Amino acid sequence: MRESPSTETITFFLNGERVDIADMPPTTTLLEWLRARGLTGAKEGCAEGDCGACTVAVRRPDGAGLATRAVNACIMALPMAHGADIVTIEGIAADGAPHPIQREMADRHASQCGFCTPGIVMALWSREAGAPADRQAVEDRLAGNLCRCTGYGPILEAAEASAAAADALGDPVADAARADALAAIPPLDYRADDRRFLAPDTEAAFADALADAPDATILSGATDFGLWITKRLFDPPMILSTARLDALKTIEREGDQLVVGAALPLAAFAAAVLAPWPQLGEMMRRFGGMQVRNAGTVGGNIANGSPIGDLPPALIAAGATLELGHRDGPRRLPLEEYFIAYGQQDRQPGEYVRRVLIPLAGLDRLSCHKVSKRFDSDITAILGCFALTLEVGVVAEARLAFGGMAGTPKRALATEAALVGKIYDRESVASAASALAEDFQPMSDQRASAAYRLAVAKNLLMRDVVERTAPETVTRLAGRAAERIGA
């Protein structure tokens, strides 16, 4: 497919009005720009996409209408707004009348200091018409909004009470017209202050650009890149965005594999896996908050090589293969081999994470166990993901992968070997778990000590055997009940 002609101007709609920008550094965050413009409802609380005080809604074409997603403006680079419809707290009232969620929040005394409240309102406002508004759905929606001065009870009540009235305000005709206007905005090739932000709309153009400039910073959801901007003052000379690569935003079954494009948002991945693979779906429900899942991508979580990224251990345990793209053609390798050492991945100049191929059989046998200090929206301390093949109760094959136990996501090979050929019961697991000390020498940091990590890793294996062999046993006291794992 031939690339469309590009524009050098950042163009988007803001609260219904078209905006064109040609003179801001590419690493300006959307929040910085909004507040400088006088739209100060969105606040900077953490500047790292954790608290949700900066939440705004981003709407993009989706079929004949618009898909609405809440995102953290504090870690969203301004050029990422190109081709979108941005809605802030200042833009949701109609003709001076409060939006239903605003009215219910006020009537039910659901807000106090007001610092976090606008972000909470925008997280609730971004709910798609007809989407669930029961207590569990609202709690999930607000997992990325951390407020410390108000009780959540009235907020949950306001969200449920306002849902029907909010749905009635939908205007499909206006949304279709806005979608057409957004779709007509060409790809972006933006330059300012000797910096370049390039967002091609074909994979071939993306691959060419990266091959010609292999030191370019690849930007996908910015859930990590945004922190480089706000915490490290990162200012790269060239940013290459995957935002318009629709060909890399797919998820589909091909034969005996699930094939996932690298630019697929985590929220879309989570929605696709929840029903067929509830263990993986439950882990994805705890993957950051809603705003992080809406922005972050499957490929981004792999490409940055974090030792505590949640997806790689699950995909490694399932036996996933990684496909790297390049102008000269793709290259495939087992996902576990992509991670060489802390901060080092097997990606050659001009290569980019393109797709992940996941065996369906591995997903069917997968269990996921995440441990963090908070249940919602928290960084993983330890994550254990296990895919086991049991034959008449005996372990025929075991793939055990952990995050947070080493400088990279890593399999527990010695522990796997100790399990294979054994009856999968508490005694054999307790014996095999002693091999974890051979597989890992974890570090101590602010999230957990080395001794704690080893102890919890052993306990996660013990919980797994209980869940597989005695599924009626309650093992998870928070979140949805554990689902039986296929054997």
Side-chain angles (χ1 to χ4, degrees), residues 172-186:
V173 174
D175 286 353
R178 181 57 50 81
D180 288 343
L182 295 174
I185 297 173

Side-chain angles (χ1 to χ4, degrees), residues 19 55 166 212 221 272 289 317 417 476:
V19 174
T55 301
D212 292 339
R476 308 194 187 202

Side-chain angles (χ1 to χ4, degrees), residues 43-370:
K43 307 296 193 295
E44 183 175 270
C46 64
E48 56 188 41
D50 197 31
C51 74
C54 65
T55 301
V56 300
V58 176
R59 307 199 303 168
R60 296 188 185 275
D62 181 29
L66 295 170
T68 303
R69 301 288 183 264
V71 303
N72 294 304
C74 72
I75 54 172
M76 178 176 171
L78 181 59
M80 295 174 68
H82 182 74
D85 185 29
I86 307 296
V87 183
T88 71
I89 188 69
E90 292 86 355
I92 67 172
D95 300 323
H99 186 272
I101 185 58
Q102 292 176 305
R103 184 179 63 250
E104 292 291 345
M105 289 280 289
D107 290 349
R108 295 170 186 272
H109 307 287
S111 63
Q112 290 185 25
C113 81
F115 191 92
C116 298
T117 304
I120 290 172
V121 169
M122 290 309 301
L124 298 174
W125 183 89
S126 67
R127 183 184 64 88
E128 298 279 11
D134 58 275
R135 187 182 182 97
Q136 181 64 69
V138 174
E139 287 181 356
D140 286 348
R141 178 161 291 277
L142 292 177
N145 292 83
L146 307 181
C147 180
R148 292 293 177 262
C149 68
T150 187
Y152 276 80
I155 297 174
L156 299 175
E157 294 170 2
E160 293 187 61
S162 65
D167 287 352
L169 294 177
D171 188 343
V173 174
D175 286 353
R178 181 57 50 81
D180 288 343
L182 295 174
I185 297 173
L188 182 64
D189 188 353
Y190 179 74
R191 301 169 193 261
D193 294 345
D194 296 324
R195 300 291 186 263
R196 185 183 184 192
F197 186 104
L198 180 61
D201 65 352
T202 69
E203 187 181 357
F206 181 91
D208 282 343
L210 185 60
D212 292 339
D215 292 331
T217 297
I218 299 176
L219 172 64
S220 201
T223 54
D224 207 11
F225 174 85
L227 274 71
W228 302 352
I229 295 174
T230 61
K231 304 301 184 182
R232 304 179 191 171
L233 305 182
F234 185 56
D235 188 20
M238 181 172 175
I239 299 170
L240 186 57
S241 171
T242 67
R244 297 180 74 105
L245 299 184
D246 291 342
L248 297 187
K249 297 180 182 179
T250 59
I251 179 169
E252 53 194 357
R253 298 192 185 200
E254 294 182 4
D256 60 355
Q257 298 183 110
L258 184 70
V259 181
V260 184
L264 184 75
L266 293 166
F269 179 78
V273 302
L274 178 59
W277 301 289
Q279 281 266 332
L280 180 57
E282 173 66 9
M283 187 198 79
M284 292 302 302
R285 192 172 72 90
R286 296 183 57 197
F287 196 123
M290 174 185 66
Q291 295 89 329
V292 168
R293 294 192 298 272
N294 284 340
T297 64
V298 170
N301 193 242
I302 294 170
N304 66 11
S306 170
I308 52 172
D310 283 346
L311 259 184
L315 302 184
I316 288 171
T321 296
L322 184 65
E323 183 174 277
L324 299 170
H326 191 277
R327 178 167 62 188
D328 297 333
R331 174 170 70 99
R332 292 183 179 181
L333 69 163
L335 177 58
E336 62 209 78
E337 295 180 8
Y338 174 74
F339 305 100
I340 298 172
Y342 180 76
Q344 184 181 2
Q345 296 87 47
D346 183 4
R347 186 162 59 88
Q348 304 303 313
E351 286 188 327
Y352 55 95
V353 173
R354 185 172 187 265
R355 299 193 303 173
V356 189
L357 298 85
I358 316 165
L360 299 177
L363 291 172
D364 291 340
R365 296 191 289 265
L366 182 67
S367 67
C368 301
H369 310 264
K370 173 170 175 168

